[in-house]
Amino acid sequence: MLLRRGLSYAEVARRLGVSHRSTIARVVYGHYILPEVRDGIAGLLGVPTERLWPNDRAA
């Protein structure tokens, strides 16, 4: 979805104030569960967070 919207991990990181684009990739692939980053990505895409990560719950 990010690529279809023309958003790279670097651009998403910049917009969300995250210092490393690798953090965005790790969140996208489920290696990190960072609710504030997930919510930010969902907000940029205009979809609910649960749509992007339907089976995960933040601890």
Side-chain angles (χ1 to χ4, degrees):
M1 275 182 115
L2 291 170
L3 291 177
R4 281 185 265 152
R5 302 274 173 100
L7 295 168
S8 67
Y9 292 152
E11 178 63 16
V12 172
R14 187 187 67 73
R15 290 188 187 192
L16 298 181
V18 174
S19 58
H20 299 284
R21 65 183 175 154
S22 62
T23 300
I24 301 301
R26 289 180 176 119
V27 169
V28 166
Y29 289 105
H31 300 292
Y32 290 174
I33 298 174
L34 301 172
E36 64 279 2
V37 175
R38 284 182 169 191
D39 292 344
I41 292 169
L44 289 173
L45 295 172
V47 298
T49 304
E50 296 79 23
R51 179 173 171 202
L52 299 176
W53 293 278
N55 297 319
D56 292 341
R57 297 284 179 236

